[in-house]
Amino acid sequence: MATLSLHPAGDYRTSYRADTTIFPTRNSRIALWIGIAVLCACPLLLGRWELSLMINIGIMGIAALGLNILVGFTGQISIGHAAFFGVGAFASAWLHDAFHVPVWAAIPLAGVITAIVGLVFGAPAARLKGLYLAIATLAAQFILEDFFARSAWFTGGVAGRITEPLTLFGFAFDREESYFYVVLFCVVVMFAGAANLMRTRDGRALVAVRDHYLSAEIMGINLAYYRTLSFGISSLYAGIGGALYAHYLLFVSVEAFNILFSIQFLGMVIIGGLGSISGSLMGAAFMVLLPEVVQGFADLLADSPVDRALKIGASISYLREMAVGAAIVLFLIFEPDGLAHRWRLIKAYWKLYPYSH
């Protein structure tokens, strides 16, 4: 008598570790390595302007990921992220100038210093929520801005501070073609760290605090601890992003890290997708490329009847800010889950084709 061999149909995962695997299939792992190889070849194929855009996307993506850990994964709000980004930028330059710390070591140390500053501001804010928390983080933004302007020993005051390029084994990463690899390395490390953090007990606790803080507290999760911890992790990412930014521009100014910059970071996580690690990079890319698209659109209209009627060329800076605001509003209305959600739907469509609905 023939025996019937039964094989399970479907996607069965018997452990939380298997369910949270970052690259669950062989094809996804192959795509990862192909993507890294293509990125490594970019300095050989692209010009300095394109590389500059990619460097800025990577730096902003690291900082936006930190804000997403705070806002998207923990459910807190922050309107002062740019100030912590500035702390990292100035801290790295200060460590190098005052204590002769090598730039490659000053960048992670600046992240640690920024994390400590974030914990200081996060401790009282951990017991607040909603509008009160937003006001508290707004106060942190203005406090740090005033500190930047008055502390010439740390920031150089209103004159700003000149920074040095990253040097390793006698080689200076002072051009886009070389600094691109520094940023790429940091992006891979920081995003891999965040992805693995969300798979740990602490990462699941952060998500529980976001989803239902009362249930989380009943389960024994210390709300104040994890809310403060999320501020520290968010500031760590902002600090490392700011340090990379400082040693890329080779100059940092106190005027750069204002409230508008903080709103742009919020726009990145909203457009990319709250609670999405890959969405942070998508949102950063969107916000970095949007002004370039607006600029190109204005250039096309230059000296045209529309330009003479509306004077678009004279108001390009205003158009950029209007475009950022319009993008945030449109995404909130038509794509509230962000670009990462749309990307998941596209992948699901092709995976299930022709039976997708």
Side-chain angles (χ1 to χ4, degrees):
M1 182 177 178
T3 58
L4 181 62
S5 177
L6 298 178
H7 297 279
D11 185 11
Y12 289 92
R13 303 182 185 185
T14 58
S15 67
Y16 187 84
R17 180 178 180 179
D19 189 53
T20 56
T21 300
I22 301 174
F23 301 102
T25 64
R26 180 173 177 267
N27 288 338
S28 64
R29 291 188 289 271
I30 292 175
L32 170 67
W33 291 112
I34 292 176
I36 293 177
V38 170
L39 288 173
C40 289
C42 282
L44 305 176
L45 305 174
L46 302 178
R48 298 185 66 183
W49 180 72
E50 292 84 1
L51 289 175
S52 176
L53 290 178
M54 296 183 71
I55 289 171
N56 277 286
I57 289 171
I59 292 172
M60 299 304 163
I62 291 173
L65 178 57
L67 184 60
N68 213 341
I69 291 174
L70 179 65
V71 179
F73 286 101
T74 315
Q76 300 292 87
I77 185 67
S78 176
I79 315 180
H81 200 64
F84 297 106
F85 189 82
V87 171
F90 287 118
S92 184
W94 173 68
L95 287 170
H96 179 73
D97 292 343
F99 302 100
H100 306 291
V101 177
V103 173
W104 61 265
I107 291 174
L109 286 176
V112 174
I113 291 174
T114 311
I116 295 172
V117 175
L119 291 173
V120 171
F121 284 99
R127 301 187 179 276
L128 303 174
K129 60 180 180 178
L131 178 62
Y132 300 100
L133 179 59
I135 296 300
T137 56
L138 183 63
Q141 169 76 37
F142 289 121
I143 289 171
L144 289 174
E145 278 190 47
D146 186 68
F147 172 75
F148 293 158
R150 296 177 183 274
S151 303
W153 59 271
F154 183 66
T155 65
V158 295
R161 183 182 283 275
I162 297 175
T163 62
E164 297 294 328
L166 188 149
T167 303
L168 189 63
F169 302 119
F171 180 79
F173 294 84
D174 54 354
R175 295 171 58 87
E176 281 79 4
E177 293 84 354
S178 56
Y179 201 74
F180 174 84
Y181 292 110
V182 176
V183 175
L184 177 61
F185 172 78
C186 292
V187 167
V188 171
V189 170
M190 301 304 289
F191 274 75
N196 283 284
L197 170 65
M198 292 303 123
R199 302 171 63 201
T200 64
R201 179 182 182 275
D202 290 331
R204 298 195 296 272
L206 295 177
V207 175
V209 171
R210 176 200 67 190
D211 289 342
H212 204 295
Y213 69 94
L214 289 178
S215 299
E217 190 172 25
I218 292 172
M219 293 169 59
I221 295 175
N222 188 327
L223 299 184
Y225 170 79
Y226 281 104
R227 285 172 175 168
T228 305
L229 177 65
S230 67
F231 268 96
I233 296 173
S234 174
S235 300
L236 173 69
Y237 275 73
I240 291 178
L244 290 170
Y245 185 73
H247 295 290
Y248 171 58
L249 294 182
L250 303 181
F251 177 79
V252 280
S253 173
V254 296
E255 291 85 5
F257 312 106
N258 52 29
I259 184 65
L260 180 60
F261 202 7
S262 291
I263 299 300
Q264 290 177 350
F265 278 124
L266 273 176
M268 291 176 194
V269 300
I270 291 172
I271 291 171
L274 291 170
S276 170
I277 292 175
S278 61
S280 303
L281 195 59
M282 294 180 186
F286 186 94
M287 294 294 283
V288 170
L289 296 177
L290 180 62
E292 304 300 326
V293 173
V294 174
Q295 180 69 61
F297 177 72
D299 292 341
L300 288 176
L301 295 178
D303 297 326
S304 67
V306 177
D307 182 40
R308 287 192 291 271
L310 300 179
K311 294 183 168 60
I312 292 177
S315 59
I316 183 63
S317 61
Y318 299 102
L319 280 178
R320 290 182 177 183
E321 308 309 330
M322 290 170 60
V324 170
I328 294 174
V329 172
L330 291 174
F331 268 89
L332 287 173
I333 296 174
F334 298 106
E335 195 64 78
D337 293 326
L339 294 172
H341 175 68
R342 181 55 50 187
W343 174 242
R344 286 193 294 269
L345 293 180
I346 293 173
K347 289 194 300 181
Y349 176 86
W350 288 108
K351 183 178 181 181
L352 300 174
Y353 185 83
Y355 302 106
S356 54
H357 298 283

